[in-house]
Amino acid sequence: MPDDLNLSEDELLVKLAQSVLALDVEGTGQLAQIVLDRDYSVRRAILEGLSEGMRQVGKRFCSHEYFVPEVLVAARAMYRGLNLLKPRMLIESGGSTHVGRGLVVLGVVQGDLHDIGKNIVKLMLEAEGFEVLDLGKNVRTDIILQELGKEAYSIVGLSTLMTSTLGSMKEAVYQIKAFHPKIRVMVGGAPVTDSFAKEIGADGTASDATGAVALALKLAKV
Amino acid sequence: MSESWDKFHATLAGTNTGMRAVGPLVAADHAAQLSNVSVSQVVQSAKMLIEVLGMAHERYRGDFLIVFSDVAIEAEAMGCRLEFPLNAPPHVIKSVDPENLLSVIPHLDGRMPMMIEASSGLVEKYGKQIPVFASLKDPFSAAALACGAEDFFTLLVLNPQKAKYAVDIALENQQRYLEALIETGAQIVIGAPLATGSLLGSKHFREFAFEPICDLIEQAKDEGVIAGVHSCGNANPIVEDLVAIPADFLSLEEFDVDRWKQLAVQQRLPALMGFFPTGLLLTGQPDEIEFEVQREIGVMHGHAHIMATACDVPQTATPDQVQRFISAARVH
């Protein structure tokens, strides 16, 4: 049990962030429970505690102090807390947990099943306040187009780890731009270069998850 | 020995003969596309794999050939269930817990017998003209692919002993598989799709992936074959570790050339295979392809370099684009 009995709300939020950053899954859950027990603001706990912790994880990922294993465990910690806090947040906010940055569709392009990178981008986007529809991996373009017709999405994020599926990415960007010219498309993954992104008509690319969030924030403002 | 073999030997020996080995990394999916057959047919038949990889080689005339089907060969042999889409490489649909990974008999399990047969057939057909490389996964990647990558990566932090156990099982399996592939007369390339700098970083790479790769490379070199390592993604976080592997060559998808050159001042490095960006094979104009080839040859001047694509040729890349890359590399 964390040593938190005398912590103020602000101190508890700092502890929550630190707990995510320290990859402490159990500790994060315990701290989230204290937020509930003391009737502190759940919204603040999510944004200033859990999300802030994940943002700091993102910075360490960007500076190569953390790599994918650490990010995945930090995500487990964040979700341990989030799953406890979310039900009350939904009650407080009347059904939504996002803070209005915009709606994003994410997916790994058809033919590729490597989704670690996409999952990390999803975590970081959610931590930043975007609402994300995750279509998973090996996603056909017609499925993306179908989803884009249902809600007011502002950004589509496509990823691929394999060079062999760069062709699928090119085709997906082409189709999205043809049917939904106002929607911004960002692309990423190991073989995706700036020039490739430009050539296929994407609105931008980033080399890591932190860059992807910065790009999404930029695209959401346009 | 043929000209291609001479180029390879000269490059690996660090002898500047003015001749550079050149080749695209063609896997089963692009080869299937070239031959107008489905990927699922090719990745389940030694005969088809021999035929399409052979046809791709005869079309592009690279100085080497890699016998590569897909990344799920080892995972399947260790007990995973796969799905085989018609026109994409197979993938794992049911992974295995580390404690339940199977001990593999390469001549019996999964599609390993198919890969051994394909390697044997391609060596017989082309082995005198060019080095034919059989490919296998590094033990970390094999274990991670079999256990489910995300779950496996979290184990590195939450239960490292369990992760090490899985890597040990995979290493034993890969040692037997390597032996069987070497018996076909093939040279060896160890592919590391998940033991990468961008995913693991140096600490985890050192702890879980480095030694098993070295073990396999040493085993291959003890048998007198050429042995290289292909590292996917950004190699920069682990480049010092990679050059410490006793491989004959490193095939790198992305790395800092200046850093490579700094390291070359301090120590003798393995030859470098790469690093033509494969996206250019889809979108590049002829002059862009030519420029990039020329640039890479320029920056690697004076270093042991095999001119190759940075990773697999995209499935839908047109043969003309691949041919442009080869022709440009031959001219320069």
Side-chain angles (χ1 to χ4, degrees):
Chain A
M1 189 73 177
D3 178 22
D4 48 49
L5 292 176
N6 298 315
L7 294 179
S8 67
E9 183 174 5
D10 284 349
E11 287 168 333
L12 191 58
L13 297 183
V14 171
K15 272 244 174 193
L16 256 181
Q18 287 171 342
S19 186
V20 172
L21 186 64
L23 317 179
D24 183 356
V25 180
E26 296 304 320
T28 305
Q30 289 167 351
L31 289 166
Q33 188 57 53
I34 292 168
V35 170
L36 294 174
D37 293 346
R38 295 190 185 171
D39 221 8
Y40 287 157
S41 164
V42 168
R43 187 181 177 84
R44 283 192 73 198
I46 291 174
L47 293 177
E48 296 172 41
L50 299 174
S51 297
E52 176 54 29
M54 210 56 208
R55 265 193 294 275
Q56 290 177 29
V57 168
K59 282 182 188 164
R60 289 201 181 181
F61 183 64
C62 196
S63 62
H64 288 175
E65 288 170 77
Y66 276 0
F67 286 86
V68 169
E70 286 83 5
V71 175
L72 291 172
V73 176
R76 283 196 181 190
M78 184 186 82
Y79 278 117
R80 179 69 60 90
L82 199 57
N83 289 336
L84 284 166
L85 299 175
K86 229 176 183 175
R88 191 176 294 174
M89 176 76 177
L90 289 169
I91 294 166
E92 285 177 7
S93 64
S96 172
T97 56
H98 77 95
V99 293
R101 295 269 195 215
L103 303 180
V104 178
V105 175
L106 286 184
V108 177
V109 300
Q110 186 170 13
D112 194 346
L113 294 133
H114 301 86
D115 60 354
I116 290 178
K118 180 266 298 169
N119 293 346
I120 291 172
V121 170
K122 179 190 171 193
L123 289 167
M124 298 297 187
L125 287 172
E126 287 181 337
E128 198 58 46
F130 286 94
E131 189 171 6
V132 178
L133 172 70
D134 182 0
L135 295 178
K137 51 199 175 185
N138 191 21
V139 184
R140 295 200 324 260
T141 303
D142 61 302
I143 301 289
I144 300 172
L145 296 175
Q146 211 176 311
E147 289 299 333
L148 291 178
K150 291 181 186 170
E151 296 276 351
Y153 292 101
S154 52
I155 298 171
V156 177
L158 301 171
S159 86
T160 184
L161 182 75
M162 304 199 303
T163 57
S164 54
T165 43
L166 285 171
S168 298
M169 181 174 271
K170 182 182 170 190
E171 178 62 20
V173 174
Y174 177 78
Q175 297 274 0
I176 293 165
K177 287 290 180 186
F179 287 97
H180 300 275
K182 286 185 180 168
I183 290 180
R184 304 286 165 170
V185 183
M186 55 186 208
V187 293
V192 178
T193 59
D194 288 342
S195 61
F196 177 75
K198 205 172 166 190
E199 286 281 345
I200 64 174
D203 295 294
T205 183
S207 58
D208 56 42
T210 317
V213 172
L215 177 61
L217 287 168
K218 190 174 137 197
L219 294 177
K221 282 182 190 161
V222 177
Chain B
M1 280 284 150
S2 69
E3 194 180 306
S4 295
W5 271 105
D6 288 343
K7 288 177 192 171
F8 243 90
H9 283 308
T11 304
L12 299 186
T15 318
N16 187 0
T17 60
M19 298 191 301
R20 188 185 302 268
V22 174
L25 306 186
V26 174
D29 57 354
H30 178 71
Q33 182 104 355
L34 269 185
S35 295
N36 242 341
V37 291
S38 72
V39 176
S40 75
Q41 275 179 291
V42 170
V43 298
Q44 295 181 85
S45 155
K47 188 170 165 280
M48 292 286 285
L49 198 52
I50 293 169
E51 197 177 311
V52 300
L53 288 175
M55 281 179 71
H57 169 66
E58 283 173 25
R59 178 144 199 170
Y60 297 138
R61 290 281 161 199
D63 289 313
F64 58 90
L65 186 157
I66 294 179
V67 189
F68 180 69
S69 169
D70 54 84
V71 297
I73 296 286
E74 286 88 346
E76 183 185 26
M78 287 194 281
C80 293
R81 209 164 70 226
L82 305 186
E83 184 175 74
F84 291 82
L86 184 64
N87 245 333
H91 55 266
V92 173
I93 52 170
K94 190 169 187 304
S95 52
V96 178
D97 190 84
E99 280 144 4
N100 296 326
L101 287 173
L102 299 178
S103 181
V104 163
I105 302 170
H107 284 283
L108 288 179
D109 290 327
R111 289 174 297 142
M112 282 185 174
M114 174 193 85
M115 294 307 295
I116 295 166
E117 189 185 337
S119 176
S120 184
L122 286 161
V123 168
E124 194 181 325
K125 209 166 172 184
Y126 300 107
K128 285 192 179 139
Q129 303 159 34
I130 52 167
V132 173
F133 289 92
S135 70
L136 71 164
K137 247 60 78 230
D138 76 284
F140 176 88
S141 296
L145 285 160
C147 298
E150 281 195 26
D151 287 343
F152 198 75
F153 276 31
T154 58
L155 280 185
L156 307 190
V157 176
L158 299 176
N159 193 346
Q161 287 310 314
K162 198 171 181 181
K164 276 183 183 157
Y165 172 80
V167 174
D168 286 346
I169 298 283
L171 173 60
E172 287 170 17
N173 288 337
Q174 294 304 76
Q175 285 170 328
R176 288 191 290 274
Y177 187 33
L178 177 66
E179 192 181 336
L181 291 170
I182 289 173
E183 279 170 7
T184 68
Q187 316 305 309
I188 293 298
V189 62
I190 295 169
L194 294 179
T196 71
S198 36
L199 295 177
L200 287 188
S202 181
K203 178 178 164 281
H204 295 305
F205 183 82
R206 274 271 163 191
E207 191 176 349
F208 295 97
F210 176 77
E211 288 293 340
I213 295 175
C214 291
D215 287 351
L216 292 180
I217 290 289
E218 277 161 7
Q219 183 185 341
K221 291 182 78 172
D222 285 348
E223 295 292 335
V225 302
I226 300 172
V229 174
H230 173 74
S231 178
C232 292
N234 179 1
N236 287 326
I238 57 168
V239 74
E240 275 90 356
D241 306 310
L242 288 170
V243 299
I245 294 169
D248 292 310
F249 67 87
L250 292 175
S251 161
L252 304 184
E253 186 169 0
E254 188 190 338
F255 69 106
D256 179 350
V257 178
D258 291 336
R259 199 154 165 215
W260 180 270
K261 288 181 174 178
Q262 283 166 6
L263 288 168
V265 175
Q266 297 157 15
Q267 64 190 101
R268 188 171 193 276
L269 299 181
L272 182 77
M273 180 185 271
F275 43 97
F276 182 84
T278 48
L280 277 181
L281 297 176
L282 284 175
T283 60
Q285 298 299 311
D287 59 331
E288 288 176 299
I289 292 174
E290 168 105 18
F291 175 82
E292 180 59 23
V293 167
Q294 207 171 346
R295 188 190 71 80
E296 287 180 23
I297 288 175
V299 297
M300 290 308 292
H301 181 71
H303 296 266
H305 178 216
I306 299 153
M307 187 73 208
T309 49
C311 204
D312 303 343
V313 172
Q315 183 174 345
T316 55
T318 63
D320 287 350
Q321 289 285 81
V322 183
Q323 201 60 62
R324 274 185 196 112
F325 155 71
I326 302 271
S327 303
R330 294 264 189 241
V331 168
H332 295 289

